[in-house]
């Protein structure tokens, strides 16, 4: 394939071939190259893997002039460090039994490329490409890519029983690539869904955050909510939970999926924004009540949703930034937004400009997902989005770092160092935000000095 054989990493294959060994690009990089040739949208993975009949020690000898890391030597993998990046090289192998439903108890090195490809998860990942661009595809991966299908290699039940993480990988590939999961493969992953309990939460979360970022995430979650419910029971609890409220057309899960599909994101915040939108009403089943008129209510559900989503993030051992950001977006998704510049700046001061802008997008998606959003309300949100943008673009003052004076200035005006300095600065900031004072250093110093002298500010 042109996209592979033009890469600088091709030197790995050439050096192994020159030493008398077979060597092929394998796995995801070949899948991506096939998709590119078919003019299909390809998510950037960047990983380059090589498979060879050279044993690990033979590979190390071939690359004795390079830095070589024994990444997984007992499983036949070493990593060669190139200027362009690291390349994992793995000896052809056949895996033994998987007693923990995750890792092979032992591996056996083999001499056949096809036997090595047979141990892989899905046909689209079980292809290889030589240095001349010739594809080896014993399980029909190219056709499955054309047909946009995720299909297990060989017996689907065996593949998932071997390694339960493949269940999450199937869902992730379906969501990210926009492919359908083939019927037998779908039945097998549903049958073996409980094996997900044997997989580390970190590995589950790594797949889940890619899944929710995928273009077909909504359809995958709709179809496989019960599978995901094994590791996120709070998600399964939303399925079919009717809201009995005229404001909402859909049950809780469908509403949240639609919010996830609707939320506006950037490449930098896509994963946690999608998670926040999906989880924003996760506390509704816990807070449901019905009044005498048969209308459903969910009092304090944002607070309960924050509690539940914080528990999910802790259970998944999410990084601190993601855990905190998702929790605050969920907690604040019911924030009331008005076209009031002063109020917006106060919230920007309290929460941060980036966070407030993201809350607005979650709020907009939440309203769009009710099925009852008016054009007038949508216009209001768009106008508020522009107001936030303008506040930032015009570098208006909404935080202490933007204030034209600082703590040293306040001390110079006569305030003793300590907590009182912060209180004075906060008072000045609020007056600037409210428009009572300009954010001008000389004016603020004069006002500060006079007010402190008269005992007004302190």
């Amino acid at each position: 394939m042109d996209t592979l054989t033009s890469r600088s990493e091709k030197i790995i294959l050439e050096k192994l071939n020159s030493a008398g060994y077979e060597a092929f690009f394998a796995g995801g990089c070949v899948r991506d190259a096939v998709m590119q040739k078919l003019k299909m949208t390809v998510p950037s993975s960047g990983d380059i893997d090589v498979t060879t009949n050279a044993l690990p020690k033979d590979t190390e000898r071939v690359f004795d002039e390079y830095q070589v890391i024994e990444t997984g030597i007992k499983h036949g993998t070493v990593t060669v460090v190139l200027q362009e990046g690291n390349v994992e090289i793995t000896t052809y192998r056949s895996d033994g039994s998987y007693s923990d439903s995750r890792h092979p108890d032992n591996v056996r090195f083999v001499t056949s490329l096809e036997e090595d490809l047979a141990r892989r998860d899905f046909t689209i990942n079980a292809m290889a490409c030589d240095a001349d661009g010739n594809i080896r595809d014993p399980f029909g991966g190219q056709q499955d890519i054309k047909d946009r299908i995720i299909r297990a290699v060989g017996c689907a039940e065996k593949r998932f029983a071997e390694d339960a993480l493949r269940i999450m990988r199937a869902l992730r590939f379906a969501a990210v690539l926009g492919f359908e999961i083939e019927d037998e493969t779908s039945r097998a992953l549903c049958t073996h869904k409980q094996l997900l309990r044997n997989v580390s939460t970190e590995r589950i979360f790594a797949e889940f955050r890619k899944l929710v970022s995928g273009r077909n995430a909504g359809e995958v979650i709709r179809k496989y909510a019960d599978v995901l419910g094994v590791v996120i029971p709070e998600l399964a609890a939303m399925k079919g939970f009717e809201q009995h409220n005229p404001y909402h057309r859909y049950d809780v899960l469908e509403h949240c999926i639609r919010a996830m599909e609707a939320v506006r994101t950037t490449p930098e915040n896509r994963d946690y924004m999608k998670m926040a939108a999906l989880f924003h009403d996760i506390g509704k089943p816990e807070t449901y009540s019905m009044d005498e008129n048969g209308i459903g209510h969910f009092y304090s559900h944002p607070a309960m949703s924050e509690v539940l989503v914080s528990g999910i993030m802790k259970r998944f051992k999410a990084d601190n930034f993601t855990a905190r950001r998702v929790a605050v977006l969920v907690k604040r998704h019911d924030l009331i937004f008005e076209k009031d510049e002063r109020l917006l700046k106060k919230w920007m001061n309290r929460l941060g400009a980036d966070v407030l802008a993201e809350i607005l997008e979650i709020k907009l998606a939440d309203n769009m997902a009710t099925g009852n959003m008016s054009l007038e309300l949508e216009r209001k949100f768009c106008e508020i989005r522009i107001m936030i943008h303008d506040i930032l673009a015009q570098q208006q003052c909404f935080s202490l770092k933007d204030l034209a004076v600082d703590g040293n200035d306040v001390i110079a005006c006569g305030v003793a160092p300590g907590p009182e300095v912060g209180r004075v600065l906060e008072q000045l900031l609020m007056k600037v935000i409210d428009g009572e004072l300009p954010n001008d250093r000389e004016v603020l110093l004069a006002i500060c000095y006079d007010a402190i002298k008269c005992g007004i500010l302190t």
Side-chain angles (χ1 to χ4, degrees):
M1 305 294 292
D2 292 343
T3 53
L4 282 176
T5 55
S6 63
R7 296 185 66 106
S8 56
E9 291 91 340
K10 180 184 173 184
I11 191 174
I12 298 289
L13 306 189
E14 293 171 338
K15 287 184 71 66
L16 285 166
N17 291 159
S18 296
Y21 299 105
E22 294 180 4
F24 298 85
F25 292 120
C29 62
V30 182
R31 178 196 69 232
D32 293 349
V34 171
M35 291 181 66
Q36 287 176 339
K37 185 177 181 180
L38 294 172
K39 310 298 184 188
M40 298 170 73
T41 302
V42 183
S44 58
S45 60
D47 294 332
I48 296 292
D49 295 321
V50 168
T51 187
T52 178
N53 63 349
L55 295 172
K57 292 301 180 184
D58 297 329
T59 300
E60 290 185 16
R61 280 195 293 271
V62 171
F63 293 96
D64 59 358
E65 297 179 358
Y66 294 76
Q67 180 184 357
V68 178
I69 305 168
E70 294 185 345
T71 317
I73 195 72
K74 73 174 185 176
H75 292 121
T77 301
V78 298
T79 298
V80 175
V81 179
L82 301 179
Q83 186 174 355
E84 299 79 7
N86 297 351
V87 177
E88 285 193 353
I89 305 174
T90 302
T91 303
Y92 298 163
R93 76 181 202 212
S94 177
D95 296 341
S97 59
Y98 288 71
S99 58
D100 65 353
S101 300
R102 181 65 190 100
H103 303 97
D105 297 327
N106 54 74
V107 301
R108 178 173 59 88
F109 297 139
V110 296
T111 58
S112 162
L113 171 64
E114 184 167 334
E115 193 171 359
D116 178 80
L117 295 177
R119 70 178 173 81
R120 296 173 185 257
D121 52 8
F122 308 111
T123 60
I124 62 172
N125 297 330
M127 298 179 290
C129 176
D130 67 19
D132 295 322
N134 301 306
I135 297 289
R136 302 281 286 271
D137 180 18
F139 303 104
Q142 292 176 94
Q143 188 60 51
D144 283 345
I145 288 174
K146 290 177 183 177
D147 295 337
R148 307 182 75 85
I149 287 174
I150 307 295
R151 184 195 309 273
V153 173
C155 175
E157 292 213 4
K158 183 180 179 182
R159 293 286 85 80
F160 294 127
E162 288 171 343
D163 183 356
L165 185 64
R166 289 170 174 165
I167 295 171
M168 290 297 299
R169 282 171 59 81
L171 301 186
R172 186 251 291 184
F173 283 127
V176 172
L177 301 179
F179 287 12
E180 289 288 328
I181 301 177
E182 176 266 337
D183 289 345
E184 182 183 344
T185 304
S186 178
R187 284 193 295 271
L189 72 84
C190 291
T191 298
H192 291 280
K193 64 186 179 183
Q194 294 298 331
L195 291 177
L196 285 173
R197 299 182 188 278
N198 299 334
V199 181
S200 74
T201 53
E202 297 97 325
R203 299 300 296 272
I204 293 284
F205 187 60
E207 296 295 333
F208 179 72
R209 71 190 304 165
K210 294 175 186 175
L211 187 164
V212 296
S213 300
R215 52 181 159 161
N216 205 35
E219 288 305 310
V220 170
I221 295 170
R222 285 184 183 95
K223 188 171 182 178
Y224 296 102
D226 292 337
V227 175
L228 292 169
V230 172
V231 288
I232 313 176
E234 302 89 344
L235 187 71
M238 296 193 291
K239 182 181 178 180
F241 199 102
E242 297 295 340
Q243 305 199 58
H244 301 292
N245 189 298
Y247 185 61
H248 285 278
R249 290 187 185 181
Y250 312 108
D251 68 38
V252 178
L253 180 59
E254 180 61 24
H255 166 69
C256 288
I257 289 173
R258 286 174 178 262
M260 180 192 70
E261 291 174 326
V263 71
R264 197 170 85 157
T265 66
T266 67
E268 292 74 27
N269 69 15
R270 180 165 295 126
D271 57 350
Y272 68 77
M273 286 286 282
K274 292 288 187 179
M275 278 189 278
L278 178 63
F279 291 142
H280 79 276
D281 276 351
I282 204 166
K284 278 190 169 180
E286 295 280 342
T287 57
Y288 177 71
S289 63
M290 182 178 286
D291 65 23
E292 63 276 9
N293 297 314
I295 303 298
H297 300 280
F298 304 92
Y299 299 116
S300 301
H301 78 270
M304 177 57 71
S305 295
E306 182 201 13
V307 170
L308 293 179
V309 82
S310 294
I312 292 169
M313 293 295 109
K314 183 176 181 180
R315 195 163 71 235
F316 279 142
K317 300 180 182 177
D319 61 277
N320 290 335
F321 173 83
T322 300
R324 286 195 298 264
R325 194 62 147 239
V326 172
V328 73
L329 294 175
V330 168
K331 178 182 179 181
R332 297 290 186 180
H333 81 266
D334 253 10
L335 187 68
I336 303 299
F337 282 88
E338 297 295 345
K339 292 187 290 184
D340 183 329
E341 192 175 84
R342 291 178 300 172
L343 183 60
L344 287 175
K345 286 194 282 189
K346 286 180 179 179
W347 279 116
M348 291 167 77
N349 172 57
R350 183 173 177 181
L351 298 172
D354 291 345
V355 174
L356 186 67
E358 290 173 352
I359 293 171
L360 178 67
E361 298 302 336
I362 297 289
K363 179 84 172 180
L364 174 57
D366 182 17
N367 279 270
M368 292 174 67
T370 64
N372 294 308
M373 184 176 181
S374 67
L375 287 174
E376 181 182 357
L377 184 57
E378 185 174 0
R379 280 195 295 270
K380 174 185 172 182
F381 281 122
C382 291
E383 289 168 4
I384 292 172
R385 180 192 289 151
I386 292 170
M387 290 177 69
I388 292 174
H389 176 271
D390 288 347
I391 290 170
L392 293 172
Q394 296 165 11
Q395 297 183 326
Q396 295 184 38
C397 178
F398 60 84
S399 67
L400 288 177
K401 67 179 178 61
D402 303 317
L403 200 61
V405 295
D406 60 21
N408 291 328
D409 296 319
V410 173
I411 291 170
C413 286
V415 177
E420 192 65 25
V421 173
R423 285 194 285 271
V424 170
L425 287 172
E426 284 290 345
Q427 290 180 58
L428 290 173
L429 176 62
M430 289 302 106
K431 289 181 181 296
V432 170
I433 288 176
D434 286 335
E436 297 178 27
L437 294 175
N439 188 32
D440 179 272
R441 176 178 169 78
E442 296 304 321
V443 171
L444 292 178
L445 286 175
I447 294 294
C448 181
Y449 181 81
D450 291 342
I452 290 172
K453 185 177 180 181
C454 298
I456 297 173
L457 279 177
T458 59

